[in-house]
Amino acid sequence: MKAPSLEEDTVSAVSRKLIPGPILLLGAPGVGKGTQAQELAKVWKIPQISTGDILRGNVARGTEVGKLAKEIMGRGELVPDDLVNRMVAARLAEPDTSEGYILDGFPRTLGQAEWLDKHLAEENSPLPVVAVSIRVGYTQLLRRITGRRTCLACQHIYNVYTQPPKSAMVCDVDGTPLVQRADDTERVFEERMRTYESQTTPVIEHYHSLGRFAEVDGEQAVDRVAAGILAAAERLRS
Ligand code: AP5
Ligand code: MG
């Protein structure tokens, strides 16, 4: 079964034709970066690049990167910049990124943002970055984090309260049993929020000061948030 897509009337003809280039989705843990990245990837036919998903893949495979990242992620802290930057550089070198890509959860330190700016300049990236920050209040975030369940086969994201699967705890797309992320506890969420406030808020200020930046209200239904991001991208790319 195919995953449901955004309603036709949510996606304007301009949005579909837009050459998206590099799109950054920023925001606190649980605002919906992954959910939105998956929706937009279908509209624009470009890849979602989630540093969290890549790191979790390494943890699951027991690689050296995964062994280092597991403890750090379990504490709600950030994996060192040089490691994440190298991971992103390798992913951006793949051919499916030529029309654009959605970076979900990167950059999240000023060091990562400065590295990305320099990397794109060196690669002569034809389009500048467009950054969209999604905003959701604390109480709603906690509910989203504790209610989240994920399909490990296709990475589709559900929520027992707000986005439940059609049948009990299996993925609508491929029938795989859904799992809860190891860092989706209230204790680790609180630490991730502290990390976000201290290290990622300056990244938002960085892109704000560069211009090509928008903020979207993430407390609406998924398709309304997506429509907000599409409209912002159209405006910032025009
Ligand atoms: P990462 O995986 O990126 O986690 P995060 O930033 O904490 O964000 P989340 O994935 O928790 O939330 P989301 O915004 O994607 O929300 P989602 O769409 O799932 O990073 C994990 C860890 O990896 C970090 O703590 C760090 O250790 C490490 N790491 C990753 N990147 C790194 C980097 N660049 N540098 C260093 N370390 C890094 O939605 C959440 C829930 O809400 C879901 O259940 C969903 O169904 C529901 N939902 C979504 N939208 C809506 C809506 N509109 N209405 C109702 N429910 C909704
Ligand atoms: Mg995510």
Side-chain angles (χ1 to χ4, degrees), residues 66 89 127 153 182:
L127 289 172

Side-chain angles (χ1 to χ4, degrees), residues 41 67 73 99 125 169 227 236:
K67 283 180 200 152
M73 293 167 84
E99 293 279 286
S125 172
M169 291 311 121
L236 295 170

Side-chain angles (χ1 to χ4, degrees), residues 28-35 51-52 55-56 73 77-79 84 105-106 108 112 144-145 148 157-159 162-163 181 183 192 218 220-222 225:
V31 293
K33 300 181 295 294
T35 302
T51 43
L55 288 167
R56 278 184 289 279
M73 293 167 84
E77 296 168 7
L78 294 181
V79 174
V84 182
F106 181 93
R108 58 213 281 167
Q112 292 177 14
R144 287 190 184 184
I145 289 285
R148 174 168 47 197
I157 302 164
Y158 297 86
N159 191 288
T162 63
Q163 310 286 326
R181 266 171 50 177
D183 57 350
R192 283 156 68 197
Q220 314 170 79
V222 170
V225 181

